[in-house]
Amino acid sequence: MSDSWATLGVDLHLEARGSTTPGPHRGLRKGVTDALREAVRTGRLPPGTRLPSSRVLAADLGIARNTVADAYADLVAEGWLTARQGSGTRVAERTVARPGGAPRSPRKPSRPAYDLRPGTPDLSAFPRTAWLKAARRALAAAPYDVLDYGDPRGRPELRSALADYLVRARGVRADPERIVVCGGFVHGLRLLGQVLRARGAQTVAVESYGLDAHWSLLRGAGLGVVPLPFDARGTDPSGLGEEGAVLLTPAHQFPMGVPLHRDRRATVVDWARRTGGLVLEDDYDGEFRYDRQPFGALQGLDPDRVVYLGTASKSLAPGLRLAWMVLPPDLVHEVTRAKGHVDLCGALDQLTLAEFITSGAYDRHVRASRLRYRRRRDTLIEGLAAHAPDVTVTGIAAGLHAVLRLPPGTEKPVVQSATWQHLALHGLSTYRHESARAERLDALVVGYGTPPGHAWGATLGALYRVLP
Amino acid sequence: MSDSWATLGVDLHLEARGSTTPGPHRGLRKGVTDALREAVRTGRLPPGTRLPSSRVLAADLGIARNTVADAYADLVAEGWLTARQGSGTRVAERTVARPGGAPRSPRKPSRPAYDLRPGTPDLSAFPRTAWLKAARRALAAAPYDVLDYGDPRGRPELRSALADYLVRARGVRADPERIVVCGGFVHGLRLLGQVLRARGAQTVAVESYGLDAHWSLLRGAGLGVVPLPFDARGTDPSGLGEEGAVLLTPAHQFPMGVPLHRDRRATVVDWARRTGGLVLEDDYDGEFRYDRQPFGALQGLDPDRVVYLGTASKSLAPGLRLAWMVLPPDLVHEVTRAKGHVDLCGALDQLTLAEFITSGAYDRHVRASRLRYRRRRDTLIEGLAAHAPDVTVTGIAAGLHAVLRLPPGTEKPVVQSATWQHLALHGLSTYRHESARAERLDALVVGYGTPPGHAWGATLGALYRVLP
């Protein structure tokens, strides 16, 4: 039932702001009512559509159930919806006249009905209440000048909170003075690319599998990008030579899911010490490890040669645009200068995250998320065993995604078939560097963290339908 | 009395986070108490110092008076402070043993005691309560996917709210599809510099007076920067030729304070139409006009040739890092591509600002600020007439700063003398382009918006002491 909501891809808030009447009394109830009315009026919720229960929709939107129930009641009274005992709330069958004008601007294509692309956590689980509480506390306690232009490295409150957290949770050797807050991992990587180029670096080694967006950023800084070989022990750094840096995901290779073997961790740090190269450690999901103790950050082995990059995009939400770098001392000044006063992050979000971390709310959220994702992972593994015995699951000891190995030659047709089912799904080839020296494999990269809670079951169903 | 607080530059929050005990119950009262204890312990509040009243400090910090009173009471009980009827609360005279370790990291030099540098509004008047209310409403109403990676142009809710506001309040011809949200004016200017350079522009004309940081950004994009002449009717655009663009502050020249004469507004738009050049309109303080109706934005004359740039840095606070561009249609794609997914602003602040605007809170805040700054301006004018009759005030019909013309040869000694008085003050020469073809004037650029409310009177006193 609740899937109809996701299926129809109704974007409540977008529509709600279509109401252009300003005024302090425009309430949530009106916003929800307007959005639903608009969705019915424009046909995006066709006659007969069954709406999710007020409980499910309220949970989805993070608002009180009564607000949704009131909005439903208003629309039943207006004739847009019908409510019947036992059959729930539906869009009225009779054709309704279309009052008012057209929507303001053409809508972009809505989200796919089901989404298993990796890279995003379950955004419906964002801890809204705790976040707002932290915002309130942070803003109340802050002296007025936190709202001024600030230190390009980021708010000292946040750098201090991060230093404590990273030492404790990720084994990073951190100090607030060496932390630079940035607007997402990609922002940090762009700054590092600029600095490396300015230092005279020509190329950066990367992994055979990864994100083309990252490689493009480095190329955009004028750097060549060379993939390293990959095998069951992870990325093989033994061939590293004159490269200025190597970009790695040591705790949980993205997307293959293996940790970097301990011998190779040593090899890469030795290379950096020997040549003066830098290791860029992308610790994108280091918080999420299920079957054993998390691997400590590679940076702990040599904080003078490894740049640690962490992010709130997986642990909280990408929309926060908050990430952090722990830099070798000699790099702090260069990165700060490259950042200048142009790329600062909003002070209030920084203060809020600092309070969120120091109050313990971040730890609680990560713990709760770890449990939830672990359950999802276990459900996925069991479901695959039952529905798709030819599929092998790997890379599942950590993180928010799994690699599903497929019979040879089937990746492309499976992804195509998913598109027809309105299931967004990425094949492993999406993440393979064009000149990777690694065996070509047919596989899917399944982001089981991505679907919102209410859509999880139906999304899995869609996945099983497209697997061989 | 309350000035002692500003004078001592105690940074409450910085110290408060020095308490490393995490836990949800660490309250405001504890934060304030810890910060004060630390300030006494480290000697930053020397024995005998009189503290501001709990009412003044509470207002300064935006917290309840009781919280401050409780913190004072705790510290009196611990022996760090003394309270006497009629003499207020003071740091205890007897030497107190210094328990515990040293502060974590060396402190940066604190703010100057008095600050009249232009460019920052009164941050103690930031509408914390209304902002938090808007944040709560915005987050409650938002569907979960607002927390995803978003449109590089910015959240549609904010672009829509800005379009409505800019049409209404600034005469801008705006449409949400042509608005790009950016992280402050400088971020927008950097993107525009990149795009202009990519289009083949060689130089950008600027004003004789302005901010070196802006000129540097354009130079950093590979563009030459050429100043235009300046006289009583503002910047003279008649000599514009093959430049790719001209950067102007038409509503209120920064820092000289004159509006661009209407003939010159026409001239600059004609130039842009004739040559295909772009006008970059920096409307940094367009909201604040006192003696007559605000000048509408130049952009209204030709939205296809003028880029409008607005910001929340003066109307709310620079720490938000939120600004916006209204772009000619053919520029939207190029700017969006230059921005990419690397420079996104935090979704929550964007949603909050959208709610803040549509609820009417932004208008209320601007109105209240306008009244407050107008009163400050009038006080300044009266005070100068009484204390510094040789000084002429100009550029005061709008904005948050005034230009104080000084007798020839006195600018440098006045600024030097201000430094000795712990008064941060900028001479006009700070803002003069090195190759400006404009008469050299001795003057001060006085940012009367900058001091926090409680320090305003004392700051004026410090100014009068250094004037000839």
Side-chain angles (χ1 to χ4, degrees), chain B residues 10-371:
Chain B
V10 171
D11 185 342
L12 258 184
H13 196 66
L14 266 183
E15 294 303 316
R17 64 97 181 131
S19 149
T20 52
T21 324
H25 303 298
R26 207 203 56 188
L28 273 182
R29 173 179 174 174
K30 182 165 183 318
V32 175
T33 311
D34 289 353
L36 284 169
R37 192 191 296 108
E38 186 72 11
V40 174
R41 202 177 68 185
T42 57
R44 276 189 303 115
L45 286 176
T49 306
R50 185 168 176 171
L51 297 180
S53 73
S54 56
R55 185 185 53 76
V56 167
L57 180 56
D60 220 48
L61 298 173
I63 62 181
R65 182 176 180 176
N66 273 353
T67 308
V68 176
D70 288 348
Y72 280 7
D74 288 350
L75 293 168
V76 169
E78 292 177 23
W80 300 95
L81 303 181
T82 59
R84 292 263 181 287
Q85 194 78 38
S87 97
T89 307
R90 291 178 183 275
V91 177
E93 286 291 347
R94 61 187 174 77
T95 311
V96 192
R98 297 189 166 214
R104 257 182 99 111
S105 63
R107 292 183 56 81
K108 284 186 301 178
S110 58
R111 273 183 163 258
Y114 309 110
D115 195 348
L116 283 171
R117 290 171 296 185
T120 312
D122 174 1
L123 299 172
S124 73
F126 182 80
R128 297 181 185 216
T129 309
W131 185 263
L132 283 169
K133 187 178 168 191
R136 202 175 62 238
R137 291 166 59 104
L139 194 50
Y144 60 84
D145 60 2
V146 301
L147 290 157
D148 206 345
Y149 298 93
D151 188 327
R153 291 176 300 177
R155 290 296 314 166
E157 296 86 346
L158 177 56
R159 291 186 284 117
S160 175
L162 284 169
D164 290 347
Y165 174 78
L166 293 172
V167 168
R168 175 166 59 78
R170 298 294 302 126
V172 172
R173 292 205 240 162
D175 177 295
E177 302 300 316
R178 288 167 46 193
I179 293 180
V180 172
V181 177
C182 47
F185 171 84
V186 285
H187 181 216
L189 187 61
R190 193 190 64 196
L191 293 170
L192 291 166
Q194 276 176 251
V195 167
L196 283 164
R197 190 70 194 89
R199 281 185 165 196
Q202 303 285 332
T203 54
V204 171
V206 300
E207 301 185 277
S208 285
Y209 295 95
L211 284 168
D212 189 52
H214 298 175
W215 305 328
S216 296
L217 266 180
L218 294 170
R219 284 192 208 101
L223 294 159
V225 168
V226 185
L228 294 170
F230 177 85
D231 60 31
R233 298 199 302 165
T235 292
D236 179 2
S238 59
L240 277 170
E242 295 300 307
E243 294 87 351
V246 56
L247 173 63
L248 294 172
T249 47
H252 187 229
Q253 205 284 328
F254 184 84
M256 296 304 280
V258 293
L260 188 63
H261 189 276
R262 88 179 86 83
D263 295 346
R264 292 183 170 176
R265 288 164 67 99
T267 302
V268 77
V269 170
D270 284 347
W271 164 81
R273 285 179 179 157
R274 204 173 57 242
T275 64
L278 274 180
V279 184
L280 313 182
E281 177 177 26
D282 175 5
D283 194 43
Y284 63 105
D285 68 358
E287 275 96 350
F288 298 113
R289 181 135 207 109
Y290 308 116
D291 296 340
R292 44 182 150 160
Q293 280 302 303
F295 283 87
L298 184 64
Q299 190 261 10
L301 294 183
D302 194 340
D304 289 341
R305 304 270 20 115
V306 183
V307 176
Y308 175 90
L309 294 120
T311 175
S313 293
K314 308 295 179 276
S315 55
L316 284 162
L320 292 178
R321 305 318 298 140
L322 283 174
W324 40 88
M325 299 185 266
V326 186
L327 296 163
D330 63 330
L331 216 60
V332 174
H333 178 67
E334 284 164 82
V335 169
T336 308
R337 204 175 44 191
K339 200 176 180 223
H341 283 81
V342 177
D343 289 335
L344 305 183
C345 301
L348 300 184
D349 279 343
Q350 291 188 66
L351 291 178
T352 302
L353 180 56
E355 172 65 27
F356 199 76
I357 294 172
T358 53
S359 71
Y362 190 81
D363 284 77
R364 281 193 296 280
H365 176 68
V366 166
R367 266 198 308 275
S369 304
R370 203 186 285 131
L371 279 174

Side-chain angles (χ1 to χ4, degrees), chain A residues 252-265:
Chain A
H252 186 229
Q253 205 284 328
F254 185 85
M256 296 303 280
V258 292
L260 188 63
H261 190 275
R262 89 180 86 83
D263 296 346
R264 293 184 169 178
R265 288 164 67 98

Side-chain angles (χ1 to χ4, degrees), chain A residues 11 13-14 17 20 22-24 26-28 60-63 104-105 108 111 119-120 123-124 126 128 131-132 135-137 139-145 147-149 151 156-157 160 163-164 176-177 183 186-187 190 217 313-314 317-321 341-349 355 358-359 364 452 454, chain B residues 11 13-14 17 20 22-24 26-28 60-63 104-105 108 111 119-120 123-124 126 128 131-132 135-137 139-145 147-149 151 156-157 160 163-164 176-177 183 186-187 190 217 313-314 317-321 341-349 355 358-359 364 452 454:
Chain A
D11 185 342
H13 196 65
L14 266 183
R17 64 93 182 136
T20 53
R26 210 204 55 188
L28 272 182
D60 219 48
L61 298 174
I63 62 181
R104 257 181 99 112
S105 63
K108 285 187 298 179
R111 272 181 164 260
T120 312
L123 298 172
S124 72
F126 183 81
R128 297 182 184 215
W131 185 262
L132 283 169
R136 201 175 64 239
R137 293 166 59 104
L139 193 49
Y144 60 84
D145 61 2
L147 290 157
D148 206 345
Y149 298 92
D151 188 326
E157 296 87 344
S160 174
D164 290 347
E177 304 300 315
V186 284
H187 181 215
R190 193 190 62 196
L217 265 180
S313 293
K314 308 295 179 277
L320 292 178
R321 305 318 299 142
H341 284 81
V342 177
D343 289 335
L344 305 182
C345 300
L348 299 184
D349 278 343
E355 171 66 27
T358 54
S359 71
R364 282 193 296 279
H454 69 263
Chain B
D11 185 342
H13 196 66
L14 266 183
R17 64 97 181 131
T20 52
R26 207 203 56 188
L28 273 182
D60 220 48
L61 298 173
I63 62 181
R104 257 182 99 111
S105 63
K108 284 186 301 178
R111 273 183 163 258
T120 312
L123 299 172
S124 73
F126 182 80
R128 297 181 185 216
W131 185 263
L132 283 169
R136 202 175 62 238
R137 291 166 59 104
L139 194 50
Y144 60 84
D145 60 2
L147 290 157
D148 206 345
Y149 298 93
D151 188 327
E157 296 86 346
S160 175
D164 290 347
E177 302 300 316
V186 285
H187 181 216
R190 193 190 64 196
L217 266 180
S313 293
K314 308 295 179 276
L320 292 178
R321 305 318 298 140
H341 283 81
V342 177
D343 289 335
L344 305 183
C345 301
L348 300 184
D349 279 343
E355 172 65 27
T358 53
S359 71
R364 281 193 296 280
H454 69 264

